[in-house]
């Protein structure tokens, strides 16, 4: 990397933590840099970057440590853990105290949801996909980590609908038939105007329900 830093274009599935780990930064070092102030105002949440966003990666400095030549030196790589947080529900009820298996990379974690159906696990910062298995692996879900776009984007609406069980199937970035059906089902369940369109009231309720 040059002494002046460089611009990185966010790709599909990228997250602030995966970008930081891949390039050897703390995510906050990138996000809080002045050159990213405009993007920070636009997105507000570092976990909701959109494909095509541009991040400035600042130049790295070097650090010297004075030690005896014949001594053994131990260095710790600085980094920040990421967390994967999920809430499981079925027909509006929390799936509480339920066994689960979460697999990402070469790591497999076994756990149990809490009294509110929540999962909270530490994961590697560069993980982009995780697999959640329930009911002795008879239920399997692939989870895009860091792939949640802002609610202002059509893809952000589709991600949230799908996560809540209203499948948008192959639609991505445009309101197709599957997305309209998902919107109608969500609006009906929430007592909203059944338009099948992405209006402000639907966005607000969807964001609230998704958490």
């Amino acid at each position: 990397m040059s002494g002046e830093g460089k611009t990185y274009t966010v790709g599909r599935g990228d997250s602030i933590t995966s970008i930081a780990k891949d390039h050897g930064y703390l995510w906050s070092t990138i996000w809080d840099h002045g050159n990213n102030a405009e993007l920070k105002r636009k997105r507000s949440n570092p976990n909701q970057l959109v494909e095509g966003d541009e991040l400035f990666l600042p130049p790295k400095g070097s650090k010297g440590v004075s030690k005896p030549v014949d001594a053994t030196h131990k260095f710790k790589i600085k980094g920040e853990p990421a967390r994967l947080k999920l809430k499981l529900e079925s027909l509006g009820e929390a799936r509480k105290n339920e066994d689960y298996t979460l697999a990402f990379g070469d790591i497999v974690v076994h756990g149990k949801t809490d009294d509110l159906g929540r999962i909270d696990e530490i994961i590697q910062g560069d993980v982009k996909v995780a697999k959640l298995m329930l009911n002795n692996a008879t239920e399997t879900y692939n989870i895009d980590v860091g792939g949640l776009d802002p609610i202002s984007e059509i893809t952000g609406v589709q991600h949230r609908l799908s996560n809540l069980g209203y499948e948008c199937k192959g639609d991505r970035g445009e309101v197709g038939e599957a997305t309209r059906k998902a919107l109608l089902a969500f609006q009906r369940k929430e007592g909203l105007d059944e338009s099948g369109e992405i209006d402000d009231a639907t966005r607000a309720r969807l964001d609230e329900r998704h958490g």
Side-chain angles (χ1 to χ4, degrees):
M1 181 178 292
S2 71
E4 297 180 353
K6 70 175 185 179
T7 299
Y8 177 85
T9 302
V10 176
R12 184 175 180 181
D14 276 345
S15 67
I16 190 69
T17 52
S18 69
I19 296 168
K21 184 167 182 179
D22 287 346
H23 293 86
Y25 294 92
L26 300 179
W27 71 265
S28 54
T29 300
I30 300 174
W31 189 243
D32 293 335
H33 194 277
N35 285 18
N36 290 317
E38 183 177 348
L39 180 62
K40 192 173 182 179
R41 284 193 296 270
K42 182 179 181 181
R43 298 293 174 222
S44 73
N45 189 333
N47 296 310
Q48 294 183 1
L49 298 178
V50 174
E51 184 176 359
D53 282 345
E54 292 190 343
L55 270 175
F56 176 75
L57 304 184
K60 297 177 184 175
S62 60
K63 183 178 181 180
V65 179
S66 179
K67 293 288 183 179
V69 175
D70 57 351
T72 299
H73 314 311
K74 291 184 178 180
F75 295 91
K76 183 177 181 180
I77 297 176
K78 193 175 182 181
E80 294 172 291
R83 304 192 78 93
L84 176 63
K85 297 183 179 183
L86 304 170
K87 183 176 181 181
L88 307 185
E89 293 185 348
S90 179
L91 300 176
E93 297 294 327
R95 297 178 67 164
K96 57 185 180 181
N97 304 317
E98 186 168 336
D99 292 327
Y100 66 83
T101 299
L102 187 67
F104 48 90
D106 57 356
I107 296 174
V108 177
V109 176
H110 302 282
K112 189 182 291 287
T113 60
D114 67 10
D115 289 341
L116 296 177
R118 296 176 301 191
I119 295 173
D120 185 353
E121 295 286 356
I122 295 175
I123 63 172
Q124 299 160 316
D126 57 351
V127 170
K128 295 184 178 181
V129 178
K131 179 178 288 186
L132 176 66
M133 289 164 276
L134 305 167
N135 282 332
N136 295 317
T138 58
E139 284 184 70
T140 302
Y141 302 93
N142 290 321
I143 301 168
D144 292 329
V145 179
L148 184 66
D149 289 346
I151 191 69
S152 58
E153 304 289 325
I154 294 176
T155 49
V157 171
Q158 291 167 333
H159 287 162
R160 287 166 176 79
L161 284 169
S162 296
N163 286 347
L164 292 172
Y166 303 93
E167 289 295 336
C168 296
K169 298 182 180 177
D171 289 354
R172 178 174 171 79
E174 58 183 35
V175 181
E177 188 62 26
T179 301
R180 288 192 182 89
K181 288 181 178 179
L183 285 165
L184 282 169
F186 176 77
Q187 290 165 340
R188 186 177 305 116
K189 174 74 180 301
E190 296 296 323
L192 300 170
D193 180 32
E194 296 179 33
S195 63
E197 301 294 333
I198 303 174
D199 52 40
D200 290 342
T202 299
R203 272 197 170 95
R205 185 67 59 82
L206 185 58
D207 205 25
E208 176 188 342
R209 290 288 182 258
H210 191 272

